[in-house]
Amino acid sequence: MSEIAPEAVAEQVTPGTPDAKSEVGRARRRTEDARLITGRTTWTDNIQLPGLLHVAFLRSPISHARIGRIDAEAARARPGVIAVFTGADLADEQGSLPCAWPVTDDMVLPDHPPIAVDEVRYVGEPVAVVVARDRYAAVDALEAVDVDYEPLPAVVDMERAVEEGADLVHADKGTNKSYTWVFEAGEPDAAFRDAPVVIERRYVQQRLIPTAMEPRAVVCSAVGDEYTLWSATQIPHILRLMLATVTGIPEHRLRVVAPDVGGGFGSKLQVYGEEVVCLLLARRLGRPVKWTESRSEGNMAVHHGRDQIQRLSLAADRDGRIRGLKVDLLADMGAYLMLVTPGVPLLGAFMFNGIYKMDAYSFTCTGVFTNKTPTDAYRGAGRPEATFGIERLMDELANELGLDPIEVRRRNWIRHEEFPYDTISGLTYDSGNYEAATEKALRLFEYDKLRAEQADRRDRGDPVQLGIGVSTFTEMCGLAPSRVLGSLSYGAGGWEHASVRVLPSGKVEVVTGSSAHGQGHETAWAQIAADRLGVPFEDVRVLHGDTSVSPKGMDTYGSRSLAVGGVALFNACDKVIDKARRMAAHLLEADEGDIEFSGGSFAVKGVPGQARTLQEVALAAFAAHDLPEGFEPSLDSEATHDPENFSFPHGTHLCAAEVDTETGFVKLRSYVAVDDVGKVVNPLIVEGQVHGGLAQGIAQALYEEAVYDDDGNLTTTTMADYLVPSAADLPTFTTDRTETPATTNPLGVKGVGEAGTIASTPAVVNAIVDALRPYGVDDVPMPCTPERVWRALTEARRGAAPPGGSPEPGAGGGLGSAGGAA
Amino acid sequence: MPRVSVEVDGVRYDDDVEPRLLLAHYLRDRLGKVGTPIGCDTSNCGACTVLMDGLSVKSCSVLAVQADGHEITTIEGLGDGRNLHPMQRAFHEEHALQCGYCTPGMIMASLDLLRENADPSDEEIRAGLEGNLCRCTGYQNIVRAVRRAANDMRQSDQAEEAHR
Amino acid sequence: MIPATFDYVRPSSLSDAVAALREADEEGKVIAGGQSLMPLLRLRLAYPEVLVDVSGLPELRGIRDEGDSLLIGAMTTHYEVIRDPLVQAHAPLLAAATATVADPAVRHRGTLGGSLAHADPAGDLPAVVLAMDGVVVTSAREIPVRDFFTDYLTSALEPDEILLGVRLPKAYTGWGHHYEKFHRTAQAWAIVGVACLVRRVNGEIAEARIGLTNMGPTPVRAHAVETAVADGPASRQAFQAAAHDAPDGTSPPSDLHGSAEYRRHLAQVLTARALAAAAGA
């Protein structure tokens, strides 16, 4: 079953060894490490300014309430307290936090004051802010602020929230539905009519807390009318524009700096109320302010991710061919719409069909308000949800038909000779080779051997069963072609900017609008520029993350940096070379058409020895003593790149999980990830991104969940309750690559930041379900905690007999609460 | 206010401190040793790990007053100023960091691990780092880095012995 | 988060320490390593007026051989317990369970006395000293461990009473032992833990001692299982049958990581496993 036609593996998919002289493709060690491994890092909380004051936020302990009287007098009277402000105090200037993605014309978009004024709608929503001489005094004063809350009914459950007569999160809106967004292609009803196989499932994407290791922090200073805001943000450029819009501070008077940022994973792709308030405080008080959140504060107040109920139907023929797919989603917005809250689930609309061909598809998503922390982008943003849905369904289909899960995928996936391929959801996949990635993964995984072991354990009735999970995924990266964003009503474009400065000494400064926070742009961008310009890697410095240094950009998220920002840099380098070529021709007294550029040197075709290096040309341009007619004395160039299409990384992930049927404990035995991310600039960085992505995707499958009680209290506010896995909890991953270059950009790159996260969650859950299939289990809700696994087993045992009459493993297989163990 | 005398990275500091002052805040806010970051408030994440008299501790869960009379080594005290410590070098070579926020604590915890066990297996490394969370790397390269540093440090110890 | 204000004293004599607690009039709190207390202070779940640091008291230090028992000083860190030759020889169950507590950095600071005084039923060590019929030695008296843990996070210690150490009988020297800890991630608290000692004679189980972690507001002994396995075969089948009674008399909590029903089930499975491991079966 695991055999793939050998001709499928085209030669081009084996990653080649890079040219020894080439920087692109080299496993360069990262430039940025130097400060990070020595503790010389500029985290926002490390920044000290003269006269700096400290800020602390008082947050609602109640999920839904009217705010009555707030008495802050005692807090104001405390030693070292400079000021206390409530939402009412700031109501005239704090504005409403922006949502940049009105996904439908009639989307319900409530006001979102940075500090609540009349009503609080989730636990953790700010109700007052204290400014004090130090962080201890600020926190102490919070306890002296007295707030009267008049509790209102808490809306916690999404399905109940959309019922008729439900309590409302925003009473004035008359509904908890923010929007319903629909997409349809082909004839779904026809595809399902008389379909020999229909699989219907309800899956829940639990709510997650992104948990970047660096908690959020903001420092803001106002000098006259000039404002500088440092923030642990992924998006200094977007933040600058949005802060200007919200506060009315002119954009050109505001500088936003993202210094060293300790991870984001989407959580720092946001315009936060705390950022707005720090700006207002610096303006009001005329002194710089700093706010740093604690983890237990952040768990409530950093936007959450996922939280979606999926109702899925798949229609197929008896031979396994998919006829159609229907997707109906409820997506939890939380209490407010933040920067891209409503759009996140819709990114999945184009991905539910995955790598498969089908005749018809329909997608409906309803955004729902609840009294919980707002949701927004979290690593993968919409695509993990979709990939989970389709990859779980493919395993269910295989089971229904008695086919190997690899085989059922093979019967449906786009074959490598069919690219470019227009998918049912309207995207054009430019390149890929699912056969090659799958074959490589099967080999590395020793698929057949593990299947044999699985059969053996089943025969023996081993209390520890083995399951194998498959996930053959693709995703859309390179967000995004501006015309597509426009058609989806997004509030901005999806281009990226880069500029290249060749200094008189021949050294190079690259300025990028991408804003790295751990991805290693300072290294990878230098590799691209070094190659393109023919200068040593060490001669290139990459600048980013400060709007006064890098004035134009769309920042870092959605695996977009390389496929969009890297290409912008590539184009800017080419512009430098074009200018330099003209200058070199002039210096060499040759025709521009006769100048060849290679290895950093401009030579005259057919005239050996006649050459000028880029450095020489740069110096001559700087001196400007002898320029070609009309030549501006500079080689500096910039480029803004708007991608023509998304890019589509793909891969095959295989997971082997050992499931203890007595306790429900799941241990990952092995994990193989073969990813095709197109051309690779730095394989070391790519591998690291895959590793980290896998850890996060596995964590969704096994460990993490933001849990609310019936009153809307978050019960996982600390890391003792919200379980982020440690080294001891994760397996060693086997990673490898195949390589089909993207055809829509000159670097051939596709993006890698989210691949591991997107692919791994369904691989793990498929493995768990596969292990338990003989017991009659066909799903375990995420996270697959030991108790949930045990309950799934217990309930399956209470319910129907095992499918296909297969014998229950082992006498006294340790199930149920009565018997104990085998 | 109690008076404390603490040696941090080879420098002695005598200070009056509030009893509730966390060692992590003492290092960061009073001494300007901001190389040690804080990542949680329940001692789970380990970002703030330093060595206290040679043993790893989480500086967010130690009061400055409890550090009175003790020696603290932070990430800033490693290496000799010009050369990296083998552990720092190994983290760089093996790409054992991405955002780098957990890195100071991870490096200090790794040093403690090797003090206990100069030649740990991968499994022992993973178990030894159970109190340090990383959100970027999936830990695989951290394990490699610790293994590499262990080899380098053992070899340089052997070379030193042979030299004597 | 940042603790609320408190006073701090580090007395150098036991009498000064007791006086300081007395003066604090029930608003004092003893701090040893602080590894349980610090998160509570930082989350402002505890507001003591005075912290009495007992790290300077010689009475709380060291591990003494008292002939037929060991006296382990309250300030002995987990790190020291794991490595101590006397503990390894006479109370290896304690060493094994201590090695599962939190993580290395916490074990460097955290103390045995602190873990017992904190009286967290999810802590690993209370069940061990309960299984070993230990005796808590305080500044005022000696309290059998079975009377020491009175409720959730509550012990028999009076507000002005200081835990000096715990006395563990050497009677269990040479018994088979095992601590079976079940948790979701390496760092997480035990959902259920089973501390187990067995004495084997001629391939049979002569006696067993079993303490359960996180099966109620206090650690509990699985007396029914102890009775059921005594004088029986050291076989997995026998252990499984006996472990059926493990949840008897427990009142496990339901929380984020497990329901009471699941905990009762786990207690059965894990007790059988702990017995098997302790007996080498």
Side-chain angles (χ1 to χ4, degrees):
Chain A
M1 278 304 174
S2 60
E3 292 305 313
I4 300 284
E7 70 272 18
V9 187
E11 206 169 292
Q12 84 271 9
V13 299
T14 307
T17 343
D19 175 354
K21 278 180 284 183
S22 168
E23 274 297 335
V24 168
R26 263 184 87 171
R28 272 274 175 202
R29 272 45 181 180
R30 299 195 320 168
T31 314
E32 38 278 87
D33 290 355
R35 61 185 187 274
L36 298 168
I37 55 177
T38 52
R40 270 73 170 176
T41 319
T42 312
W43 309 118
T44 300
D45 188 61
N46 293 3
I47 294 168
Q48 292 292 347
L49 297 173
L52 188 70
L53 299 173
H54 290 261
V55 173
F57 287 90
L58 182 68
R59 297 180 183 277
S60 173
I62 298 175
S63 62
H64 196 189
R66 284 203 65 76
I67 299 172
R69 200 179 62 99
I70 301 183
D71 183 354
E73 281 320 300
R76 289 193 181 98
R78 286 190 57 85
V81 172
I82 282 75
V84 182
F85 299 110
T86 65
D89 295 334
L90 299 177
D92 293 343
E93 52 184 310
Q94 69 175 350
S96 181
L97 295 175
C99 172
W101 203 340
V103 295
T104 58
D105 292 340
D106 59 351
M107 183 181 83
V108 174
L109 174 58
D111 274 349
H112 186 190
I115 299 183
V117 179
D118 302 315
E119 200 168 314
V120 287
R121 295 188 176 86
Y122 66 95
V123 169
E125 186 170 358
V127 291
V129 62
V130 169
V131 188
R133 62 184 288 182
D134 61 47
R135 50 177 116 225
Y136 283 47
V139 171
D140 287 348
L142 295 180
E143 295 189 335
V145 180
D146 191 23
V147 184
D148 290 339
Y149 295 99
E150 300 160 26
L152 296 166
V155 179
V156 182
D157 181 272
M158 257 199 289
E159 284 171 324
R160 295 223 308 264
V162 294
E163 283 170 8
E164 204 61 37
D167 293 319
L168 295 175
V169 177
H170 298 274
D172 60 323
K173 302 297 183 192
T175 177
N176 288 321
K177 291 182 188 173
S178 175
Y179 66 86
T180 297
W181 192 93
V182 177
F183 176 90
E184 198 170 292
E187 292 175 48
D189 289 338
F192 276 77
R193 199 175 306 128
D194 307 322
V197 181
V198 174
I199 299 201
E200 294 185 338
R201 292 288 185 273
R202 176 184 181 276
Y203 295 133
V204 177
Q205 296 285 323
Q206 79 270 33
R207 183 175 270 254
L208 300 173
I209 303 178
T211 320
M213 289 311 299
E214 182 202 20
R216 290 178 301 159
V218 181
V219 171
C220 189
S221 84
V223 179
D225 289 339
E226 307 286 335
Y227 298 88
T228 305
L229 182 121
W230 292 263
S231 183
T233 182
Q234 296 173 229
I235 53 162
H237 299 94
I238 295 171
L239 183 59
R240 181 198 197 195
L241 172 61
M242 290 297 174
L243 288 175
T245 308
V246 171
T247 64
I249 291 171
E251 191 181 354
H252 64 303
R253 299 289 178 208
L254 177 59
R255 170 188 171 206
V256 174
V257 185
D260 287 318
V261 176
F265 314 109
S267 72
K268 294 169 182 172
L269 161 55
Q270 193 52 273
V271 177
Y272 278 110
E274 292 88 350
E275 292 167 321
V276 173
V277 171
C278 283
L279 194 50
L280 301 180
L281 292 172
R283 179 164 72 180
R284 275 208 179 205
L285 302 171
R287 284 177 69 177
V289 297
K290 178 194 280 187
W291 169 71
T292 302
E293 79 182 348
S294 68
R295 177 67 57 186
S296 47
E297 182 182 20
N299 275 15
M300 296 185 286
V302 174
H303 75 236
H304 291 174
R306 313 273 196 273
D307 204 344
Q308 192 176 90
I309 296 171
Q310 310 176 321
R311 292 186 178 281
L312 311 174
S313 311
L314 183 86
D317 290 330
R318 270 276 144 218
D319 63 1
R321 196 189 66 87
I322 302 170
R323 296 166 62 132
L325 174 66
K326 291 183 182 176
V327 175
D328 189 1
L329 305 181
L330 289 181
D332 197 332
M333 306 284 99
Y336 301 96
L337 303 183
M338 295 192 74
L339 191 61
V340 295
T341 301
V344 167
L346 306 188
L347 287 170
F350 309 97
M351 284 287 120
F352 266 97
N353 49 302
I355 63 171
Y356 309 112
K357 297 177 279 192
M358 57 188 74
D359 306 328
Y361 171 56
S362 76
F363 174 96
T364 304
C365 176
T366 300
V368 183
F369 292 113
T370 59
N371 288 117
K372 290 182 267 183
T373 299
T375 60
D376 208 314
Y378 171 56
R379 201 170 192 173
R383 293 157 286 164
E385 297 92 315
T387 302
F388 181 90
I390 186 66
E391 289 304 302
R392 284 285 296 112
L393 285 180
M394 292 309 281
D395 264 31
E396 294 301 303
L397 178 61
N399 178 62
E400 179 71 27
L401 298 173
L403 289 172
D404 185 279
I406 300 284
E407 175 60 19
V408 81
R409 285 167 170 83
R410 193 182 65 76
R411 292 182 186 184
N412 284 287
W413 69 36
I414 301 158
R415 295 191 310 275
H416 71 282
E417 69 272 17
E418 292 178 289
F419 289 96
Y421 184 87
D422 295 333
T423 72
I424 191 72
S425 62
L427 298 176
T428 302
Y429 292 177
D430 62 320
S431 67
N433 191 327
Y434 309 137
E435 300 94 324
T438 302
E439 194 198 24
K440 196 174 218 179
L442 290 170
R443 206 170 54 232
L444 290 168
F445 190 67
E446 300 189 284
Y447 187 81
D448 294 334
K449 203 168 138 189
L450 283 167
R451 281 283 181 217
E453 181 184 331
Q454 175 183 49
D456 177 56
R457 288 199 196 212
R458 282 179 180 172
D459 289 346
R460 283 192 287 115
D462 192 328
V464 178
Q465 288 287 307
L466 183 69
I468 293 169
V470 179
S471 173
T472 51
F473 83 105
T474 188
E475 56 153 332
M476 53 198 270
C477 291
L479 306 179
S482 297
R483 65 183 160 78
V484 178
L485 292 178
S487 72
L488 294 172
S489 312
Y490 184 65
W495 47 263
E496 191 49 271
H497 184 77
S499 61
V500 176
R501 301 195 289 252
V502 187
L503 305 179
S505 62
K507 308 294 185 200
V508 176
E509 285 179 337
V510 166
V511 179
T512 175
S514 296
S515 186
H517 39 283
Q519 293 88 346
H521 291 16
E522 290 168 39
T523 306
W525 269 224
Q527 289 179 268
I528 294 169
D531 250 15
R532 212 61 199 154
L533 299 175
V535 301
F537 170 82
E538 294 76 13
D539 284 2
V540 185
R541 178 160 180 242
V542 179
L543 304 169
H544 64 90
D546 179 342
T547 59
S548 72
V549 172
S550 153
K552 286 180 75 175
M554 279 292 179
D555 305 317
T556 289
Y557 44 85
S559 307
R560 71 188 301 271
S561 290
L562 189 57
V564 190
V567 173
L569 171 59
F570 183 92
N571 293 343
C573 289
D574 281 1
K575 289 186 182 180
V576 168
I577 298 304
D578 286 347
K579 284 188 191 177
R581 185 192 310 277
R582 196 173 153 215
M583 184 75 198
H586 180 73
L587 295 172
L588 292 163
E589 297 178 344
D591 190 86
E592 201 183 322
D594 292 333
I595 300 293
E596 283 181 328
F597 177 67
S598 89
S601 184
F602 297 88
V604 183
K605 221 180 280 178
V607 187
Q610 280 281 76
R612 290 284 189 282
T613 65
L614 178 68
Q615 289 84 349
E616 288 167 342
V617 175
L619 185 61
F622 169 75
H625 297 159
D626 177 17
L627 300 175
E629 187 63 31
F631 190 91
E632 284 184 29
S634 168
L635 302 182
D636 298 355
S637 299
E638 55 184 299
T640 303
H641 175 66
D642 198 333
E644 58 177 272
N645 190 5
F646 297 97
S647 55
F648 302 97
H650 70 83
T652 296
H653 289 214
L654 299 171
C655 175
E658 291 178 349
V659 182
D660 183 333
T661 58
E662 293 176 352
T663 64
F665 191 83
V666 175
K667 180 173 183 285
L668 298 193
R669 154 91 163 265
S670 63
Y671 195 102
V672 168
V674 175
D675 285 286
D676 188 333
V677 299
K679 286 280 183 192
V680 162
V681 173
N682 185 322
L684 201 65
I685 291 176
V686 163
E687 190 190 30
Q689 286 288 328
V690 172
H691 289 164
L694 293 177
Q696 272 176 35
I698 290 168
Q700 176 176 4
L702 293 179
Y703 304 119
E704 297 182 19
E705 182 175 23
V707 180
Y708 282 86
D709 68 14
D710 292 344
D711 296 324
N713 297 305
L714 180 68
T715 59
T716 52
T717 53
T718 73
M719 282 182 154
D721 296 318
Y722 188 85
L723 299 184
V724 172
S726 75
D729 303 304
L730 293 169
T732 301
F733 310 120
T734 302
T735 57
D736 206 334
R737 289 189 292 111
T738 53
E739 194 169 297
T740 52
T743 62
T744 56
N745 69 65
L747 285 168
V749 299
K750 296 183 176 180
V752 69
E754 295 157 301
T757 309
I758 292 169
S760 56
T761 309
V764 173
V765 178
N766 278 340
I768 294 167
V769 173
D770 185 55
L772 303 180
R773 200 69 88 169
Y775 298 79
V777 171
D778 70 0
D779 192 32
V780 178
M782 293 191 293
C784 302
T785 64
E787 175 159 6
R788 282 186 175 151
V789 171
W790 171 73
R791 280 194 183 282
L793 275 163
T794 310
E795 276 157 25
R797 202 180 183 216
R798 276 192 204 122
S806 55
E808 213 166 299
L815 309 178
S817 57
Chain B
M1 265 200 272
R3 188 160 186 81
V4 297
S5 179
V6 188
E7 189 176 312
V8 181
D9 296 336
V11 177
R12 207 186 88 182
Y13 300 88
D14 291 350
D15 279 305
D16 294 327
V17 298
E18 240 193 309
R20 62 168 167 162
L21 181 66
L22 307 177
L23 176 59
H25 283 142
Y26 176 66
L27 295 172
R28 293 178 55 79
D29 294 348
R30 293 287 290 278
L31 306 186
K33 309 269 310 177
V34 293
T36 301
I38 299 173
C40 76
D41 26 37
T42 46
S43 81
N44 290 94
C45 85
C48 65
T49 304
V50 299
L51 303 183
M52 186 159 159
D53 300 333
L55 302 184
S56 63
V57 301
K58 296 182 175 181
S59 64
C60 78
S61 296
V62 177
L63 296 169
V65 288
Q66 291 178 295
D68 180 31
H70 295 280
E71 272 179 36
I72 305 294
T73 308
T74 79
I75 187 76
E76 297 172 56
L78 294 187
D80 61 7
R82 280 185 312 179
N83 299 306
L84 294 174
H85 186 281
M87 188 64 77
Q88 292 171 311
R89 209 165 48 230
F91 268 63
H92 174 59
E93 287 296 330
E94 295 293 349
H95 186 37
L97 62 150
Q98 289 176 34
C99 86
Y101 199 80
C102 75
T103 306
M106 200 65 83
I107 286 178
M108 300 316 283
S110 300
L111 285 173
D112 185 77
L113 170 69
L114 295 192
R115 177 189 55 74
E116 286 273 291
N117 179 355
D119 186 14
S121 66
D122 282 7
E123 207 172 314
E124 288 168 331
I125 294 169
R126 286 179 180 273
L129 296 178
E130 66 186 335
N132 291 75
L133 301 178
C134 169
R135 197 58 160 165
C136 296
T137 64
Y139 303 102
Q140 188 143 326
N141 290 349
I142 292 175
V143 175
R144 281 186 199 160
V146 175
R147 209 169 50 210
R148 181 193 189 110
N151 288 335
D152 291 351
M153 287 164 72
R154 279 201 318 278
Q155 275 169 21
S156 80
D157 283 354
Q158 283 161 9
E160 250 173 57
E161 248 162 60
H163 192 65
R164 282 190 205 121
Chain C
M1 277 282 283
I2 292 157
T5 51
F6 47 76
D7 289 332
Y8 170 87
V9 291
R10 190 165 62 220
S12 50
S13 79
L14 187 58
S15 56
D16 286 356
V18 171
L21 284 172
R22 206 160 284 156
E23 197 181 328
D25 194 20
E26 307 198 5
E27 300 300 330
K29 188 91 189 154
V30 169
I31 184 165
Q35 297 303 286
S36 299
L37 185 56
M38 285 300 299
L40 296 182
L41 293 174
R42 292 186 68 198
L43 296 170
R44 299 203 174 195
L45 297 172
Y47 285 83
E49 285 178 10
V50 185
L51 280 195
V52 179
D53 184 339
V54 294
S55 64
L57 306 182
E59 293 88 344
L60 278 64
R61 293 275 170 186
I63 297 174
R64 274 211 310 278
D65 190 336
E66 295 187 325
D68 57 0
S69 62
L70 294 184
L71 181 62
I72 306 176
M75 272 304 295
T76 310
T77 64
H78 302 316
Y79 175 75
E80 290 162 346
V81 165
I82 294 166
R83 276 150 196 80
D84 187 83
L86 284 172
V87 173
Q88 283 175 354
H90 302 294
L93 173 64
L94 178 65
T98 304
T100 73
V101 172
D103 58 64
V106 169
R107 293 196 291 269
H108 288 146
R109 297 282 305 158
T111 64
L112 176 58
S115 292
L116 301 183
H118 188 53
D120 188 338
D124 300 296
L125 307 182
V128 173
V129 295
L130 181 68
M132 292 186 73
D133 289 316
V135 174
V136 172
V137 180
T138 80
S139 53
R141 55 190 166 141
E142 299 199 350
I143 312 168
V145 168
R146 65 175 177 275
D147 300 327
F148 182 74
F149 300 106
T150 55
D151 204 346
Y152 180 69
L153 298 181
T154 309
S155 75
L157 287 174
E158 296 295 329
D160 60 351
E161 191 172 9
I162 292 173
L163 199 161
L164 303 183
V166 64
R167 179 172 290 131
L168 297 179
K170 282 189 185 171
Y172 303 109
T173 306
W175 287 39
H177 66 90
H178 186 74
Y179 184 64
E180 183 77 19
K181 181 173 184 170
F182 189 83
H183 46 171
R184 286 181 57 199
T185 58
Q187 243 191 358
W189 295 98
I191 299 175
V192 173
V194 181
C196 181
L197 288 161
V198 296
R199 185 164 66 85
R200 285 186 64 167
V201 177
N202 301 330
E204 293 222 328
I205 299 299
E207 292 177 86
R209 301 284 183 273
I210 297 164
L212 301 177
T213 297
N214 219 2
M215 285 295 291
T218 65
V220 285
R221 275 282 281 273
H223 287 298
V225 183
E226 291 175 8
T227 309
V229 289
D231 300 320
S235 72
R236 287 179 176 255
Q237 290 75 8
F239 295 150
Q240 278 152 16
H244 184 76
D245 297 334
D248 283 10
T250 64
S251 46
S254 281
D255 60 24
L256 271 179
H257 304 300
S259 67
E261 182 193 6
Y262 179 57
R263 283 190 159 95
R264 279 191 282 268
H265 166 73
L266 277 183
Q268 295 173 324
V269 175
L270 301 178
T271 299
R273 289 182 182 182
L275 280 164

